[in-house]
Amino acid sequence: MKVVKRDGKVKEFDSQKIVEAIRAASRDSGEMTAEDINRIAEIVNNKCERLNSERISVERIQDLVE
């Protein structure tokens, strides 16, 4: 699967980027454990796969995380 970035560039899907984004977003609150972050990333990754699409936008991934 490819990810369409905000600037229009297309990159390979990397589930680790989801983990990193969730970790960065949760730093301020400190309410999420590493286990929480990994579980959310796993759920989002599974949802992305079920979309069965060749491309997904960063905004769509962000919506799935939220």
Side-chain angles (χ1 to χ4, degrees):
M1 180 183 314
K2 305 282 186 183
V3 175
V4 180
K5 309 219 15 148
R6 287 184 174 88
D7 64 3
K9 292 180 183 174
V10 179
K11 302 282 184 169
E12 283 294 322
F13 180 85
D14 180 358
S15 60
Q16 188 59 35
K17 298 264 186 185
I18 296 171
V19 172
E20 292 167 8
I22 297 169
R23 185 177 296 124
S26 70
R27 268 192 203 116
D28 290 337
S29 70
E31 296 177 7
M32 296 180 75
T33 66
E35 185 177 311
D36 294 334
I37 292 167
N38 288 329
R39 181 67 183 133
I40 292 168
E42 180 181 336
I43 291 167
V44 171
N45 187 48
N46 290 339
K47 286 184 177 191
C48 288
E49 288 177 4
R50 281 189 297 221
L51 291 174
N52 201 25
S53 178
E54 291 182 24
R55 291 182 176 201
I56 187 168
S57 70
V58 168
E59 290 85 0
R60 178 73 172 124
I61 294 171
Q62 184 176 355
D63 290 346
L64 292 172
V65 170
E66 290 174 358

